[in-house]
Amino acid sequence: MDLQSAKMIGAGLAAIGTGAAALGVGFVFGSFLQGALRNPAAADGQQGRLFLGFALAELLGLMAFTVALLILFVF
Amino acid sequence: MAAAGKIDPMHQFTVEPLVPLHIGSYDISLTNSAAWMLATLVVIASFMWGGMKREVVPGRWQMAVEGVTSFIDNLVQVNIGPEGKKFVPFVFSLFAFILVANLLGLLPLALVPGWHAFTPTSHFSITGVLAILSFSLVLIIGFWRHGLHFFSLFVPHGTPWYMLPLIIPIEIVSFLVRPFSLALRLFVAMMAGHILMEVFGSFIVNGFASGSAVGFGVGLISFLFIVGVGALELLICALQAYVFALLTSLYLNDAVNLH
């Protein structure tokens, strides 16, 4: 296997991480809705934490995407 | 736009000099990135000036401006407390710049031949400077208010002593990684969205240009998809600006109140 095809396969493998981040983000919003529907009065006060959790979960997926781009375009 | 058949999603991020300027060996040309940041400034300034009338019964425009400012004011008050009042202008400037720069980058200017929209926030050099601004403000405020006591940030309350060798390095790393995570999140989110739109936009062009039935189907599906992605991108633009402002105010809270 030459280097070019190995890079393509590596970038594709790195992109799996974005799918994992999708699970994480879905879990954050899903859990928020579960809690919010049980106690809608308290939901508005927790939106900052909702978006904080979203940002932290999303960051890891974006890092996987960055690794894929680094493999494709930098190395 | 790439030539037919070849998709080149990275071309849209090239920084091109519009007005070449050189002083000595330094290249200080007005680039398209700088031009779009100036456009962002003009949009924000005209939006704010139109609404800063201080009328007792506000008109529509003043209501819009007050809605945005009170949104950030509320965010900062909730996260920092009453002492956060003096950070509202800083957080608001960050929020407004990122939001407007993101939204301007989505303008369909490529309809005019030879033009294309440019998103300053899709470059790590821009978002990195924004992140360094907010991180250095955290350091300055923290050391100014608490002196060397600021280092107690690395020791959470109620940590058992035998956990300290593990907790302190983790806290230090998580503190030092903040500017990178702030900058990386915004830059990658913007770049990924624009690459996605470019790739599917090329699918539409190439699909319809191929003339075959399969190509037509692919083009049609891509078109429907890109409408949804466009709406999602508008949401992401606002969300990333909000997340940047939120995290900045959370970090400022660490500097002001320790924890």
Side-chain angles (χ1 to χ4, degrees):
Chain A
M1 185 161 45
D2 60 318
L3 180 64
Q4 195 58 34
S5 28
K7 271 164 75 173
M8 292 295 171
I9 293 173
L13 288 177
I16 294 174
T18 57
L23 289 180
V25 171
F27 188 73
V28 168
F29 280 102
S31 309
F32 177 78
L33 272 182
Q34 279 195 344
L37 290 177
R38 277 163 208 254
N39 187 0
D44 282 347
Q46 299 302 320
Q47 279 201 340
R49 284 189 186 133
L50 168 69
F51 285 111
L52 181 66
F54 158 77
L56 294 180
E58 185 206 25
L59 175 69
L60 301 174
L62 296 180
M63 279 184 174
F65 178 78
T66 315
V67 169
L69 280 187
L70 283 177
I71 293 173
L72 275 183
F73 293 108
V74 179
F75 296 121
Chain B
M1 178 56 69
K6 182 87 178 90
I7 301 172
D8 181 15
M10 302 311 262
H11 176 70
Q12 56 179 324
F13 300 114
T14 44
V15 177
E16 296 148 353
L18 297 179
V19 184
L21 274 178
H22 294 272
I23 292 184
S25 58
Y26 294 101
D27 186 356
I28 55 161
S29 312
L30 181 77
T31 58
N32 52 355
S33 175
W36 280 94
M37 281 190 272
L38 286 176
T40 306
L41 181 69
V42 169
V43 169
I44 297 173
S46 45
F47 176 68
M48 294 304 290
W49 270 322
M52 280 163 45
K53 295 201 184 77
R54 289 173 167 267
E55 282 167 9
V56 180
V57 181
R60 284 179 199 163
W61 199 321
Q62 190 180 341
M63 280 302 284
V65 173
E66 282 179 2
V68 183
T69 48
S70 69
F71 172 67
I72 293 298
D73 189 53
N74 191 28
L75 172 80
V76 173
Q77 298 268 352
V78 165
N79 284 313
I80 308 184
E83 283 188 86
K85 195 80 183 161
K86 47 183 174 291
F87 301 114
V88 171
F90 174 71
V91 178
F92 179 77
S93 309
L94 277 180
F95 176 76
F97 177 77
I98 293 171
L99 179 68
V100 175
N102 288 350
L103 289 177
L104 285 186
L106 279 181
L107 286 179
L109 271 190
L111 291 173
V112 184
W115 284 57
H116 69 97
F118 182 89
T119 322
T121 42
S122 67
H123 280 254
F124 194 63
S125 48
I126 311 291
T127 60
V129 168
L130 295 177
I132 288 172
L133 269 180
S134 86
F135 187 68
S136 52
L137 189 71
V138 166
L139 287 182
I140 292 168
I141 299 287
F143 282 114
W144 186 47
R145 286 180 62 100
H146 303 288
L148 291 182
H149 194 63
F150 183 52
F151 284 112
S152 70
L153 190 68
F154 298 140
V155 187
H157 279 301
T159 314
W161 61 268
Y162 48 84
M163 289 296 284
L164 285 183
L166 192 63
I167 293 288
I168 289 179
I170 292 177
E171 287 281 327
I172 290 177
V173 168
S174 84
F175 183 78
L176 292 181
V177 100
R178 280 172 180 183
F180 296 100
S181 70
L182 262 184
L184 200 70
R185 179 179 298 113
L186 178 58
F187 133 77
V188 176
M190 284 299 107
M191 196 175 69
H194 281 263
I195 290 177
L196 195 66
M197 306 247 285
E198 171 78 29
V199 167
F200 279 91
S202 306
F203 282 177
I204 298 173
V205 173
N206 292 343
F208 284 135
S210 72
S212 65
V214 177
F216 187 82
V218 168
L220 197 64
I221 292 171
S222 303
F223 179 73
L224 293 177
F225 182 76
I226 208 171
V227 171
V229 169
L232 185 72
E233 275 303 301
L234 288 175
L235 174 72
I236 296 277
C237 283
L239 199 58
Q240 290 298 331
Y242 172 67
V243 162
F244 202 102
L246 174 73
L247 287 174
T248 299
S249 57
L250 281 178
Y251 297 158
L252 282 171
N253 176 42
D254 279 353
V256 172
N257 300 322
L258 292 180
H259 71 151

